[in-house]
Amino acid sequence: MSDRRILVVDDDADIRGLLKELLDRRGFVVTEARDGQEALRAFYEERPDLVVLDIQMPVLDGWKTLERIRELSDVPVVMLTARSSELEKTRGLRGGADDYVTKPFGRQELLARVDALLRRTSGREPEADSYSDAFVTIDFARREVTAGGDLVELTPLEFRLLTAFVRHPNQVLSHEQLLELVWGDENASRDQVKLYVGYLRKKLSPASPESAPIETRRGFGYSYRPG
């Protein structure tokens, strides 16, 4: 695994140093970041194979950083926190984290979790930087969307919703699946899914929202049909 890249994100320099030392010895290429904004810049530049992400950070915390990472990538993410409550772990996993480690952590345990995640994802196809069909073009890195040749301004949530659809073409996604993929929040509702699907249709096809390539499957959910 000597060529695998890991991004370590923590506002505590001592913890970053400890993690870097552990991972360096294991043969990984390690990049450090001290907050969420710095982490996202490093993420776009380095394209790491795994992220170790602290939750409590200034500027941009771990929850928001995870959300931004999940808008663009399925890279494995291990969350670090000083809290061990089940509620917080559930929030992290539902938000798209792959594993959860509580501080103070055992060095061998953390390395074992990192190794296991990398083995599990070693056969994954690399994610495309862009998507295109006859109707929609998406640049995931720049978060730019064009539909019918026109640039479309989407909110972060609308962008995540469109991303969920294009990554599951012709597949019926239930309200519950979309809540998990897009919202990652147990407080969100089916009505919000319906509302934001409507918003997205109007932005993709302002003159005739019903012609947008998102079909309602009554009693089941929604599906995206590539143009």
Side-chain angles (χ1 to χ4, degrees):
M1 293 189 181
S2 59
D3 60 338
R4 309 305 291 272
R5 301 182 303 276
I6 297 182
L7 174 60
V8 172
V9 189
D10 199 301
D11 63 326
D12 188 321
D14 290 337
I15 292 179
R16 289 200 312 274
L18 171 61
L19 288 169
K20 179 171 172 52
E21 181 182 356
L22 287 174
L23 296 167
D24 278 344
R25 288 180 179 176
R26 198 60 158 238
F28 296 112
V29 178
V30 181
T31 301
E32 297 179 55
R34 57 189 173 185
D35 59 52
Q37 286 186 351
E38 192 172 295
L40 291 172
R41 287 193 295 269
F43 184 82
Y44 298 142
E45 292 171 3
E46 302 293 334
R47 299 286 181 175
D49 297 292
L50 183 141
V51 180
V52 180
L53 179 62
D54 186 35
I55 292 178
Q56 300 298 326
M57 297 185 296
V59 186
L60 194 69
D61 67 16
W63 300 124
K64 293 177 182 176
T65 304
L66 175 63
E67 182 179 307
R68 294 288 299 277
I69 288 173
R70 280 292 170 259
E71 289 172 2
L72 304 175
S73 175
D74 289 328
V75 65
V77 176
V78 178
M79 303 296 286
L80 286 179
T81 182
R83 300 177 182 176
S84 59
S85 71
E86 182 178 353
L87 182 61
E88 182 146 303
K89 290 182 180 180
T90 301
R91 179 181 178 185
L93 295 173
R94 286 185 173 174
D98 295 271
D99 207 343
Y100 204 100
V101 176
T102 304
K103 301 176 186 176
F105 51 83
R107 300 183 183 194
Q108 294 308 311
E109 178 190 2
L110 185 135
L111 288 173
R113 290 175 183 269
V114 167
D115 287 344
L117 279 174
L118 289 173
R119 283 196 302 270
R120 193 186 311 163
T121 58
S122 61
R124 263 186 202 170
E125 291 293 327
E127 290 188 346
D129 293 330
S130 63
Y131 169 87
S132 183
D133 60 35
F135 185 74
V136 170
T137 298
I138 306 172
D139 184 322
F140 292 110
R142 295 183 179 180
R143 296 165 57 88
E144 290 182 355
V145 176
T146 59
D150 296 323
L151 189 64
V152 180
E153 295 292 336
L154 299 180
T155 66
L157 197 150
E158 291 164 350
F159 185 87
R160 293 200 301 275
L161 182 58
L162 179 59
T163 297
F165 279 128
V166 302
R167 286 181 174 166
H168 301 82
N170 298 311
Q171 178 180 334
V172 178
L173 296 175
S174 68
H175 291 82
E176 289 72 22
Q177 286 174 307
L178 287 170
L179 284 170
E180 181 178 347
L181 289 168
V182 179
W183 277 262
D185 185 352
E186 61 185 357
N187 295 317
S189 69
R190 291 166 61 98
D191 288 339
Q192 286 178 285
V193 175
K194 181 178 180 180
L195 182 66
Y196 276 88
V197 167
Y199 290 158
L200 185 56
R201 282 172 170 156
K202 288 178 183 177
K203 288 193 175 181
L204 294 177
S205 185
S208 55
E210 67 280 359
S211 69
I214 302 172
E215 296 182 342
T216 299
R217 301 295 184 91
R218 297 194 181 281
F220 296 98
Y222 302 91
S223 65
Y224 180 85
R225 62 179 194 281

